Amino acid sequence: MGLAIWLLGVVLTLGAAAGPAEASKNHHYDFFIKESNYTRLCQEKTILTVNGEFPGPTIFARKGDVVVVNVYNQGDKNITIHWHGVDQPRNPWSDGPMYITQCPIQPGANLTYTVILSEEEGTLWWHAHSDYDRTTIHGAIVIHPKLGTAFPFKKPHKEIPIILSEWWNADVNQLLEESRRTGGEVSISDANTINGQPGDLFPCSKNGTFKAAVESGKTYLLRIINAGLANDLFFGVAGHRLTVVGTDARYTKPFTVDQILISPGQTVDALLVASRAANGSSNGRYYMAARTLASNTNIGFDNTTATAILEYTDAPPAARAGRPDFPDLPAIDDLNASAAYTAQLRSLGSKAHPVDVPTDVDEHMLITIAVNVVPCATGNATCEGPGGNRFAASLNNVSFHLPTLDILDAYYGSVRGVYETDFPDMPPFVFNFTDDNVPVERWFTKRGTKVKVLEYGAVVEVVFQDTAILGAENHPMHLHGFAFYVVGMGLGNFNQTTDPATYNLIDPPFQNTVTVPKSGWAAIRFRAANPGELF
C-alpha cells in the first residue's frame, strides 16, 4: 500500500488450537538480534541485524520439517519474528506478529519459535514484525522437496537467493516515530537493493555489488523475494529470460517472461538458463536489475534502480572486463506490463501438486482498502496529513489499533476489552470506490481493534476493493496462517452479480500475498482449517 499506511489489518479467530504435529526432521537455528554498523551510499549507520548479517541467514529445510529458532534479543528495542507464508498449522503462538499472537521479546530476553512446515515447498522468508525493523531484519527460507520426491522440473545446477528490498540513510524507526508524532507520511527510501546492496549505479557501491557466478549451458533457480516495505518491483536479467515455476512456495504452470513483477511480501521461483552464446552476445557480464512500479505517480516513490551482476566464469577475460549489459525493464508506471505478468500465474495442478479450489462458499466478505485520515488530537497543531489531519489507513473503514496485550493471550485468557468481534463483512457505506473525486467526508475513518470470527472448516471468499480515497494505488495484501486461491481480479468496482462469472476455479494461483490492482479488486478463497488468531 505504500508508506502512507502504518498498520492495516484484521484478525481472524478460529476455534481451539492444538500442539504441533510430528514432522520429518528438526532443524535448529540461533538468531541473535544485535546492532551492527553497515555502510551504504557513502554513509555508515547502525542497524539491527540477525547474527550481524544483512540480509540475515538463510533457513534451509524440507517440506514437512520443523525448524526451531532460538531468538536472543541483544538489541535496544522490543522485537518479534514472523515466518512469512508458513501456515503454522495449529501453532499460532509461533506466528510472530507483535501484540497479535505474542507480546514482544524485550531487550535482554529470548524466545524459542517452532516453525512447522506443512504444505509449503519453494521459497518463503522471515522478517521482524515490529515497527519497521523488517527493513534490516529479514532473510530467506528455502524449502526443498521431501526426501524421495523431486522438483516438478529438472533439478537446477545451483540455487541463488535474490532478496529485493530498500535502504534508508536515516534511521527508519526514527522516521516512523516522526510520522506518528506529526501524522504525516514516512519518508521514502533512498535506494532499492538486491541482497542488501544498491548496486554500482550508486556512489561508493561498486565493490559491494552482489555478483552471481554462472557457467554456460547450466540452469539456475533464482529464489526471488520482495522483502521491501513499499515498492512493487520489476525484476529482470539482461540477455536472459526467466521461466517462472513457483510463487509463495507453491508451484505454478511454467511460463517464460523477460521480467517479473513482484510485490512486497511475495516470492517467485524462476529458472534462468545461462545461454550467453545462444543469445549472440559477446559480453560475459549482465545486470540483474530491480525498478519500482509506481501505480500512482502522484504519491512519492523510490525512483531508483538496484543492480547486481550475473557473471560467466567461463567467458574470456576480455568479455568480463567491460560494462554489463542492461535489461530492458518496463516503464516505472507501466500497469499494463504488471497486469500481463500477473494474468499468467496458474497453479501447477499436477498429481503431486493438485488444485483444490473450494466451490461452495460459507462466508462472503467485501473489504475496501483505503488511505484515510483521523482528526488531530485536541490542541495538537503538528499534524501534517491532508487538511491538517493525521494519516491513517483502513479496511472497511476500520483503522487497526494495536493493543497492549496480544490478542491470542486475551482470547485464551478470556481477557475483556482487548478486542471486539464485530469486524464488518461489508463496507459501512457504498459509493463509487474508484472515482478520483471522493468527497472530503469520505476521507475519515475510526480506529478499532476488531476481529472476524470464523467457524472451523468454513469456506471464505474475500473480495478486496481498492478505493481512490486520497489516491488509488496497488495494495499488497498478506494473510497469516493460510495460503489462498486468487480466483479473480479486475478493474473498477467489484460487481457481485457479473464478476464471479469471470473467476478461474480450475487452476488459480495459490498464494499468501496478493496485489490488489489500482482502482480494482481481487477475490480470494480459502478454507478456514487452521485454528487460532491470525492476522
Side-chain angles (χ1 to χ4, degrees), residues 220-413:
Y220 297 82
L221 176 59
L222 305 187
R223 296 186 175 273
I224 308 164
I225 300 164
N226 187 338
L229 286 175
N231 300 329
D232 297 330
L233 294 167
F234 290 116
F235 173 84
V237 183
H240 299 75
R241 306 196 79 199
L242 300 173
T243 299
V244 175
V245 293
T247 179
D248 289 357
R250 264 69 179 194
Y251 293 116
T252 63
K253 289 182 170 64
F255 63 96
T256 302
V257 291
D258 292 320
Q259 65 276 318
I260 67 166
L261 186 282
I262 184 168
S263 295
Q266 291 183 331
T267 71
V268 171
D269 289 339
L271 298 173
L272 179 147
V273 179
S275 54
R276 177 179 76 95
N279 293 333
S281 173
S282 59
N283 206 340
R285 303 170 80 224
Y286 302 84
Y287 274 127
M288 298 183 275
R291 174 190 294 163
T292 302
L293 166 67
S295 60
N296 187 337
T297 55
N298 294 319
I299 299 172
F301 62 92
D302 183 337
N303 189 16
T304 66
T305 301
T307 58
I309 296 174
L310 188 80
E311 187 168 73
Y312 281 74
T313 58
D314 55 350
R320 289 183 276 124
R323 187 170 183 82
D325 291 351
F326 202 89
D328 183 18
L329 295 177
I332 205 158
D333 59 351
D334 193 342
L335 295 176
N336 290 331
S338 167
Y341 170 81
T342 302
Q344 297 180 75
L345 291 169
R346 296 283 188 274
S347 286
L348 180 59
S350 66
K351 182 178 180 180
H353 304 280
V355 176
D356 182 22
V357 185
T359 54
D360 297 322
V361 177
D362 302 304
E363 295 266 2
H364 289 270
M365 300 180 73
L366 174 65
I367 298 180
T368 52
I369 308 167
V371 178
N372 302 92
V373 295
V374 292
C376 270
T378 303
N380 185 347
T382 63
C383 286
E384 297 177 358
N389 296 292
R390 180 179 295 276
F391 269 117
S394 73
L395 298 178
N396 277 354
N397 211 41
V398 178
S399 185
F400 188 77
H401 177 71
L402 199 66
T404 55
L405 173 68
D406 68 277
I407 293 174
L408 187 62
D409 276 339
Y411 174 75
Y412 279 100

Side-chain angles (χ1 to χ4, degrees), residues 10 16 39 67 129 213 306 316 359 396 505 535:
V10 58
T39 299
V67 180
H129 209 295
T359 54
N396 277 354
L505 301 179
F535 196 47

Side-chain angles (χ1 to χ4, degrees), residues 40-56:
R40 297 290 186 271
L41 306 180
C42 311
Q43 298 184 39
E44 183 181 58
K45 76 169 185 176
T46 300
I47 62 174
L48 281 177
T49 64
V50 169
N51 301 346
E53 301 176 34
F54 171 64

Side-chain angles (χ1 to χ4, degrees), residues 426-442:
M426 299 289 290
F429 36 77
V430 177
F431 58 100
N432 185 354
F433 299 123
T434 58
D435 186 352
D436 290 331
N437 300 310
V438 179
V440 172
E441 58 266 24
R442 297 292 187 224

Side-chain angles (χ1 to χ4, degrees), residues 477-498:
M477 301 299 294
H478 170 57
L479 181 60
H480 292 222
F482 300 93
F484 48 75
Y485 288 102
V486 184
V487 296
M489 189 173 292
L491 297 178
N493 298 312
F494 178 74
N495 186 313
Q496 61 183 0
T497 301
T498 59

